[in-house]
Amino acid sequence: MMEQTFEVQPCGVKYICDTCGEGELLPNGKNDWSAEQKPFEHECTECGQKKMFSEKYPLVRYKNVDE
Ligand SMILES: [Zn+2]
């Protein structure tokens, strides 16, 4: 076994509100640790819609860069 490096490209991911389609869902600091799967409450910046997620948006993902 040996380590090997590969090239990745960082990609910012934000979550646009399902309800109004305009606001962005951001963590409001109310985390529910009893909800094991989705502890992070987010709130829409426009309409105030709330939704639970397993991770905090906005987040960064990495995609592999081919060749
Ligand atoms: Zn909204």
Side-chain angles (χ1 to χ4, degrees):
M1 298 273 228
M2 59 183 278
E3 286 187 351
Q4 219 173 43
T5 59
F6 56 96
E7 206 177 332
V8 296
Q9 192 174 48
C11 190
V13 184
K14 61 182 178 178
Y15 200 101
I16 301 302
C17 178
D18 299 314
T19 305
C20 68
E22 292 188 6
E24 183 179 347
L25 289 171
L26 294 174
N28 62 6
K30 293 178 193 161
N31 303 327
D32 180 3
W33 298 111
S34 66
E36 286 179 26
Q37 299 301 314
K38 298 178 175 179
F40 302 115
E41 185 172 293
H42 289 56
E43 199 171 320
C44 176
T45 54
E46 292 295 322
C47 71
Q49 175 73 22
K50 288 174 184 158
K51 200 173 166 78
M52 306 298 289
F53 289 108
S54 59
E55 39 191 359
K56 288 184 184 177
Y57 287 92
L59 52 88
V60 178
R61 293 212 182 101
Y62 298 92
K63 45 184 183 183
N64 293 1
V65 178
D66 296 321
E67 310 300 294

